[in-house]
Every structure is written in C-alpha cells, then in structure tokens.
C-alpha cells in the first residue's frame, strides 16, 4: 500500500458515533478502488469489523492506556447514556472520590520536592548558573534551583494512575 494511513496495526481506536466499538487495529488494507479500510478487533470480545478510516478515532494516543481502559469501560457500560467526555471523566475521577471508586480509576497528583526534582539532573555533581556552582546536596537557594529546573524542563509533578490493579507513574 502506497497511501498514508490514519491507523497502523496495534493502534487503539473507538467508534464515536452510533454503536460502541472500542477496538485494536489488527489490519490496514487498500480496496480494489484504492480506498483505505481498517480491521478493528473489539476489546474484550474479539469481534472483527472492517471500517472506513473516518468511522474510527484514535483514543488517547498521548495518554497512558489505563485512562483509555477506564473511560472505555465507562463508555461501554453507559452507552447512549454517556453524560461526560473522556476529559470530563478524567477530571471527575480526580476530584470526586465516589465517582472515581465506582469506575475503579484513581488519579493522584503531587508536587515534587526540590530534592526529587534535583534527582532528574542525573550524574551531574553540580550545575553552573549565572557563574555560580549549584551543588545538588545544598538546597539553600530555592530560587536558583527552580531557575535551573525550569530552564532544563525538569518535571514539577508526579502523576500516579491506578486502574484494575495496574499502576502507572508519570512526570509532568
């Protein structure tokens, strides 16, 4: 196939309109007429279906799969009664413990300490800032450290996501 395709084998997708179909793409091919088709295998049930590319959307390409799994569980059970988007679902899980517990998704965020942020500097024994050496063990000048960390894109938060006895930690 010489065409650029929206999906590749292994991508996670769902059908946003009509009947629900959370799936994994297991095939991409071109018809005799030159149109791209994708084969989706329905999550949990294994049902195969052939779609036009525009019938499916990626879900959470840049997000951890646990968020997608939790939302797709909600999406599958609630069907046409869905009242919140995925972003609203995630926000509600962060802020409403009863809702979060009901759907089994727990999201915790916490600020990293200066010492934790310093650990991201790696093997550097010191860092130079404005002609001064800043030693990792001496966290006396908070402003200088924050300047270094911000200039070098050191994360400020630890995000922990738990769903179905699985856990992912990521930094932001």
């Amino acid at each position: 196939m010489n065409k650029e395709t929206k999906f590749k084998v292994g991508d996670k997708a769902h059908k946003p309109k009509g009947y629900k179909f959370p799936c994994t793409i297991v095939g991409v091919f071109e018809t005799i007429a030159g149109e791209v088709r994708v084969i989706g295998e329905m999550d949990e049930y294994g049902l195969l279906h052939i779609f036009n590319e525009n019938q499916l959307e990626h879900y959470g390409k840049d997000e951890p799969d646990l968020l997608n799994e939790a939302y797709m569980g909600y999406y599958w059970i609630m069907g046409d009664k869905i009242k919140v988007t995925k972003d609203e679902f995630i926000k509600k899980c962060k802020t409403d413990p009863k809702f979060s517990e009901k759907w089994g998704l727990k999201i915790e965020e916490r600020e990293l300490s200066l010492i934790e942020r310093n650990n991201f500097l790696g093997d550097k024994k010191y860092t130079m800032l404005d002609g001064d050496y800043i030693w990792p063990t001496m966290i006396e000048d908070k402003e200088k450290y924050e300047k270094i960390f911000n200039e070098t894109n050191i994360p400020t938060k630890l995000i922990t996501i738990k769903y179905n006895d699985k856990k992912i930690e990521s930094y932001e």
Side-chain angles (χ1 to χ4, degrees), residues 80-132:
D80 293 334
K81 297 180 224 157
I82 288 181
K83 303 255 190 279
V84 297
T85 66
K86 183 169 60 175
D87 289 337
E88 292 167 337
F89 173 81
I90 291 166
K91 184 176 181 181
K92 194 162 173 106
C93 284
K94 286 180 183 178
T95 59
D96 183 340
K98 286 184 181 180
F99 183 85
S100 178
E101 186 177 324
K102 178 178 180 177
W103 296 104
L105 178 66
K106 187 170 185 177
I107 303 169
E108 298 171 337
E109 294 182 5
R110 76 168 176 81
E111 296 294 320
L112 294 172
S113 70
L114 286 177
I115 292 171
E116 289 173 310
R117 291 183 76 196
N118 184 70
N119 291 337
F120 280 92
L121 290 175
D123 293 335
K124 295 181 183 177
K125 298 213 186 313
Y126 57 84
T127 302
M128 184 155 234
L129 176 67
D130 298 330
D132 292 329

Coordinates of all heavy atoms in Angstrom, one line a residue, residues 80-132:
D80 N -25.4 5.0 25.3 CA -26.0 6.2 24.9 C -26.3 7.2 26.1 O -26.7 8.3 25.9 CB -27.3 6.0 24.1 CG -27.0 5.3 22.8 OD1 -25.9 5.4 22.3 OD2 -27.9 4.6 22.3
K81 N -26.2 6.7 27.3 CA -26.4 7.5 28.5 C -25.2 8.3 28.9 O -25.2 9.0 29.9 CB -26.8 6.6 29.7 CG -28.1 5.9 29.4 CD -28.5 5.1 30.6 CE -28.9 3.7 30.2 NZ -28.8 2.6 31.1
I82 N -24.1 8.3 28.1 CA -22.9 9.0 28.5 C -23.2 10.5 28.6 O -23.8 11.1 27.7 CB -21.8 8.7 27.4 CG1 -21.3 7.3 27.6 CG2 -20.6 9.7 27.6 CD1 -20.2 7.0 26.6
K83 N -22.8 11.0 29.8 CA -23.1 12.4 30.0 C -21.8 13.2 30.0 O -21.8 14.4 30.1 CB -23.7 12.5 31.4 CG -25.0 11.8 31.5 CD -26.2 12.7 31.5 CE -27.5 12.0 31.8 NZ -28.1 11.3 30.8
V84 N -20.6 12.5 30.0 CA -19.3 13.3 30.1 C -18.4 12.8 29.0 O -18.4 11.6 28.6 CB -18.7 13.1 31.5 CG1 -19.5 13.7 32.6 CG2 -18.3 11.7 31.8
T85 N -17.5 13.7 28.6 CA -16.5 13.3 27.6 C -15.4 12.7 28.4 O -15.4 12.6 29.6 CB -15.9 14.6 26.9 OG1 -15.3 15.4 27.9 CG2 -17.0 15.4 26.2
K86 N -14.4 12.2 27.7 CA -13.3 11.5 28.3 C -12.5 12.5 29.2 O -12.2 12.1 30.3 CB -12.3 10.9 27.3 CG -11.2 10.1 28.0 CD -10.3 9.3 27.0 CE -9.7 10.2 26.0 NZ -8.8 9.4 25.1
D87 N -12.3 13.7 28.7 CA -11.6 14.7 29.6 C -12.4 15.0 30.8 O -11.8 15.1 31.9 CB -11.3 16.0 28.8 CG -10.3 15.8 27.7 OD1 -9.4 14.9 27.9 OD2 -10.2 16.6 26.8
E88 N -13.7 15.1 30.7 CA -14.6 15.4 31.9 C -14.6 14.2 32.8 O -14.5 14.3 34.0 CB -16.0 15.7 31.4 CG -16.1 17.0 30.7 CD -17.4 17.2 30.0 OE1 -18.1 16.2 29.7 OE2 -17.8 18.4 29.7
F89 N -14.5 13.0 32.3 CA -14.5 11.7 33.0 C -13.2 11.7 33.9 O -13.2 11.5 35.1 CB -14.5 10.5 32.1 CG -14.3 9.2 32.8 CD1 -15.3 8.6 33.4 CD2 -13.1 8.6 32.7 CE1 -15.1 7.3 34.1 CE2 -12.9 7.3 33.3 CZ -13.9 6.7 34.0
I90 N -12.1 12.0 33.3 CA -10.8 12.0 34.0 C -10.8 13.1 35.1 O -10.4 12.8 36.2 CB -9.6 12.2 33.0 CG1 -9.5 11.0 32.1 CG2 -8.3 12.5 33.7 CD1 -8.6 11.2 30.8
K91 N -11.3 14.3 34.7 CA -11.3 15.4 35.7 C -12.2 15.0 36.9 O -11.9 15.2 38.1 CB -11.8 16.7 35.1 CG -11.8 17.8 36.0 CD -12.3 19.1 35.3 CE -12.2 20.3 36.2 NZ -12.6 21.5 35.6
K92 N -13.4 14.4 36.6 CA -14.3 13.9 37.7 C -13.6 12.9 38.5 O -13.8 12.9 39.8 CB -15.6 13.4 37.1 CG -16.7 13.3 38.0 CD -18.0 13.2 37.3 CE -19.1 13.0 38.3 NZ -20.0 14.0 38.6
C93 N -12.9 11.9 37.9 CA -12.2 10.9 38.7 C -11.1 11.6 39.6 O -10.9 11.1 40.7 CB -11.5 9.9 37.8 SG -12.6 8.7 37.1
K94 N -10.5 12.7 39.2 CA -9.5 13.3 40.0 C -10.1 14.1 41.2 O -9.5 14.2 42.3 CB -8.8 14.4 39.2 CG -7.8 13.9 38.2 CD -7.1 15.0 37.5 CE -6.2 14.6 36.4 NZ -5.6 15.8 35.7
T95 N -11.4 14.5 41.0 CA -12.0 15.4 42.1 C -13.1 14.8 42.9 O -13.5 15.3 43.9 CB -12.5 16.7 41.4 OG1 -13.5 16.4 40.4 CG2 -11.4 17.5 40.8
D96 N -13.7 13.7 42.4 CA -14.9 13.1 43.0 C -14.5 11.7 43.4 O -14.6 10.7 42.6 CB -16.1 13.1 42.1 CG -17.4 12.6 42.7 OD1 -17.3 11.9 43.7 OD2 -18.4 12.9 42.2
P97 N -14.1 11.4 44.7 CA -13.7 10.1 45.1 C -14.8 9.0 44.9 O -14.5 7.9 44.6 CB -13.4 10.3 46.6 CG -13.2 11.7 46.8 CD -14.0 12.4 45.8
K98 N -16.1 9.3 45.1 CA -17.1 8.3 45.0 C -17.2 7.9 43.5 O -17.4 6.7 43.2 CB -18.5 8.9 45.5 CG -18.6 8.9 47.0 CD -19.9 9.3 47.4 CE -19.9 9.4 49.0 NZ -21.2 9.8 49.5
F99 N -17.2 8.9 42.6 CA -17.2 8.6 41.2 C -16.0 7.8 40.8 O -16.1 6.8 40.1 CB -17.3 9.9 40.4 CG -17.4 9.7 38.9 CD1 -18.7 9.5 38.3 CD2 -16.3 9.7 38.0 CE1 -18.8 9.3 36.9 CE2 -16.4 9.6 36.7 CZ -17.7 9.4 36.1
S100 N -14.9 8.2 41.2 CA -13.6 7.5 40.9 C -13.7 6.1 41.4 O -13.3 5.1 40.7 CB -12.4 8.2 41.6 OG -11.2 7.6 41.4
E101 N -14.1 5.8 42.6 CA -14.2 4.5 43.2 C -15.2 3.6 42.4 O -14.9 2.5 42.1 CB -14.7 4.6 44.7 CG -14.7 3.2 45.4 CD -15.1 3.4 46.8 OE1 -14.7 4.4 47.5 OE2 -15.8 2.4 47.3
K102 N -16.3 4.2 42.0 CA -17.3 3.5 41.2 C -16.7 2.9 39.9 O -17.0 1.8 39.5 CB -18.5 4.4 40.9 CG -19.6 3.7 40.0 CD -20.7 4.6 39.8 CE -21.8 3.9 38.9 NZ -23.0 4.7 38.7
W103 N -15.9 3.7 39.2 CA -15.3 3.3 38.0 C -13.9 2.7 38.1 O -13.3 2.3 37.1 CB -15.4 4.5 37.0 CG -16.8 4.8 36.7 CD1 -17.5 5.9 37.2 CD2 -17.7 4.1 36.0 NE1 -18.8 5.8 36.8 CE2 -19.0 4.7 36.0 CE3 -17.7 2.9 35.2 CZ2 -20.1 4.3 35.4 CZ3 -18.8 2.4 34.6 CH2 -20.0 3.1 34.7
G104 N -13.4 2.6 39.3 CA -12.1 1.9 39.5 C -10.9 2.7 39.1 O -9.8 2.1 39.0
L105 N -11.0 4.0 38.8 CA -9.8 4.7 38.4 C -9.4 5.7 39.4 O -10.2 6.5 39.9 CB -10.2 5.5 37.1 CG -9.1 6.4 36.5 CD1 -7.9 5.5 36.0 CD2 -9.6 7.2 35.4
K106 N -8.2 5.7 39.8 CA -7.7 6.6 40.8 C -6.5 7.4 40.3 O -5.6 6.8 39.8 CB -7.2 5.9 42.1 CG -6.9 6.8 43.2 CD -6.7 6.0 44.5 CE -6.5 7.0 45.7 NZ -6.3 6.3 46.9
I107 N -6.6 8.7 40.3 CA -5.6 9.6 39.7 C -5.1 10.5 40.9 O -5.9 11.2 41.5 CB -6.1 10.4 38.6 CG1 -6.6 9.5 37.5 CG2 -5.0 11.3 38.0 CD1 -7.4 10.2 36.4
E108 N -3.8 10.4 41.2 CA -3.2 11.3 42.2 C -2.1 12.1 41.6 O -1.3 11.6 40.8 CB -2.6 10.4 43.3 CG -3.7 9.6 44.1 CD -3.0 8.6 45.0 OE1 -1.8 8.2 44.9 OE2 -3.7 8.1 45.9
E109 N -2.1 13.4 42.0 CA -1.0 14.3 41.5 C -0.4 14.9 42.8 O -1.1 15.2 43.7 CB -1.6 15.4 40.7 CG -2.2 14.9 39.3 CD -2.7 16.1 38.5 OE1 -2.5 17.3 38.9 OE2 -3.2 15.8 37.4
R110 N 0.9 15.0 42.7 CA 1.6 15.7 43.8 C 2.8 16.4 43.3 O 3.4 16.0 42.3 CB 1.9 14.8 45.0 CG 3.1 13.9 44.8 CD 3.6 13.2 46.1 NE 4.6 12.3 45.8 CZ 5.9 12.6 45.7 NH1 6.3 13.9 45.7 NH2 6.8 11.7 45.4
E111 N 3.1 17.6 43.9 CA 4.2 18.4 43.6 C 5.5 17.6 44.0 O 5.5 17.1 45.1 CB 4.2 19.7 44.2 CG 3.0 20.6 43.8 CD 3.1 21.0 42.3 OE1 4.2 21.3 41.9 OE2 2.1 21.0 41.6
L112 N 6.5 17.7 43.2 CA 7.8 17.1 43.6 C 8.6 18.1 44.4 O 8.6 19.3 44.2 CB 8.6 16.8 42.3 CG 8.1 15.7 41.4 CD1 8.9 15.6 40.1 CD2 8.1 14.3 42.1
S113 N 9.3 17.5 45.4 CA 10.2 18.4 46.2 C 11.4 18.8 45.4 O 11.7 18.2 44.3 CB 10.7 17.6 47.5 OG 11.6 16.6 47.1
L114 N 12.2 19.8 45.9 CA 13.4 20.2 45.2 C 14.4 19.1 45.1 O 15.1 18.9 44.1 CB 14.0 21.4 45.9 CG 13.3 22.7 45.8 CD1 14.0 23.8 46.6 CD2 13.3 23.1 44.3
I115 N 14.5 18.2 46.2 CA 15.4 17.1 46.1 C 15.0 16.1 45.1 O 15.8 15.6 44.3 CB 15.5 16.4 47.5 CG1 16.2 17.4 48.5 CG2 16.3 15.1 47.5 CD1 16.2 17.0 49.9
E116 N 13.7 15.8 45.0 CA 13.2 14.9 43.9 C 13.5 15.5 42.5 O 13.9 14.8 41.6 CB 11.7 14.6 44.1 CG 11.4 13.8 45.3 CD 9.9 13.7 45.5 OE1 9.2 14.7 45.5 OE2 9.4 12.5 45.7
R117 N 13.2 16.8 42.4 CA 13.5 17.4 41.1 C 15.0 17.4 40.7 O 15.4 17.2 39.6 CB 12.9 18.8 41.0 CG 11.4 18.9 41.1 CD 10.9 20.3 41.0 NE 11.0 20.7 39.6 CZ 10.9 22.0 39.3 NH1 10.7 22.9 40.2 NH2 11.0 22.4 38.0
N118 N 15.8 17.6 41.8 CA 17.2 17.5 41.6 C 17.7 16.2 41.0 O 18.7 16.1 40.3 CB 18.0 17.9 42.9 CG 19.5 18.0 42.7 OD1 19.9 18.9 42.1 ND2 20.2 17.0 43.2
N119 N 17.1 15.1 41.5 CA 17.5 13.8 41.0 C 17.4 13.6 39.5 O 18.0 12.8 38.9 CB 16.6 12.7 41.7 CG 17.0 12.6 43.2 OD1 18.1 13.0 43.6 ND2 16.0 12.1 44.0
F120 N 16.6 14.4 38.8 CA 16.4 14.4 37.4 C 17.7 14.9 36.7 O 17.8 14.7 35.5 CB 15.2 15.1 36.9 CG 13.9 14.3 37.0 CD1 13.2 14.5 38.2 CD2 13.5 13.5 36.1 CE1 12.0 13.8 38.4 CE2 12.4 12.8 36.2 CZ 11.6 12.9 37.4
L121 N 18.5 15.6 37.4 CA 19.8 16.2 36.8 C 20.8 15.1 36.5 O 21.7 15.3 35.8 CB 20.4 17.2 37.7 CG 19.7 18.5 37.9 CD1 20.4 19.4 38.9 CD2 19.6 19.2 36.5
G122 N 20.5 13.9 37.0 CA 21.4 12.7 36.7 C 22.7 12.7 37.4 O 22.8 13.0 38.6
D123 N 23.7 12.4 36.7 CA 25.1 12.2 37.3 C 25.8 13.5 37.5 O 26.9 13.5 38.0 CB 25.9 11.3 36.4 CG 25.4 9.9 36.3 OD1 24.7 9.5 37.3 OD2 25.7 9.2 35.4
K124 N 25.2 14.6 37.2 CA 25.9 15.9 37.4 C 26.1 16.1 38.9 O 25.2 16.0 39.7 CB 25.0 17.1 36.8 CG 24.8 17.0 35.3 CD 24.0 18.2 34.9 CE 23.7 18.2 33.4 NZ 22.9 19.2 33.0
K125 N 27.4 16.4 39.2 CA 27.7 16.7 40.6 C 27.4 18.1 40.9 O 27.1 18.5 42.1 CB 29.2 16.4 40.8 CG 29.5 14.9 40.6 CD 30.6 14.5 41.6 CE 31.1 13.2 41.4 NZ 30.3 12.1 41.2
Y126 N 27.3 19.0 39.9 CA 26.9 20.3 40.1 C 26.4 20.9 38.8 O 26.6 20.3 37.7 CB 28.1 21.2 40.6 CG 29.3 21.1 39.7 CD1 29.4 22.0 38.6 CD2 30.3 20.2 39.9 CE1 30.4 21.9 37.7 CE2 31.4 20.1 39.0 CZ 31.5 21.0 37.9 OH 32.5 20.9 37.1
T127 N 25.8 22.0 38.9 CA 25.3 22.7 37.7 C 25.7 24.2 37.8 O 25.7 24.7 38.9 CB 23.8 22.6 37.6 OG1 23.4 21.3 37.6 CG2 23.2 23.3 36.4
M128 N 26.1 24.8 36.7 CA 26.5 26.2 36.7 C 25.3 27.1 36.4 O 24.6 26.8 35.4 CB 27.7 26.4 35.8 CG 28.2 27.8 35.8 SD 29.9 27.7 35.2 CE 30.8 28.5 36.5
L129 N 25.1 28.1 37.1 CA 24.0 29.0 36.9 C 24.5 30.4 37.2 O 25.0 30.7 38.3 CB 22.8 28.7 37.8 CG 21.7 29.7 37.7 CD1 21.0 29.6 36.3 CD2 20.6 29.4 38.8
D130 N 24.5 31.3 36.2 CA 25.0 32.7 36.3 C 26.4 32.8 36.9 O 26.6 33.6 37.8 CB 24.0 33.5 37.2 CG 22.6 33.6 36.5 OD1 22.5 33.5 35.3 OD2 21.6 33.7 37.3
G131 N 27.3 31.8 36.6 CA 28.6 31.9 37.0 C 28.8 31.2 38.4 O 30.0 31.1 38.9
D132 N 27.8 30.8 39.0 CA 27.9 30.1 40.3 C 27.6 28.6 40.2 O 26.8 28.2 39.3 CB 26.8 30.6 41.3 CG 27.1 32.1 41.7 OD1 28.3 32.5 41.7 OD2 26.1 32.8 42.0

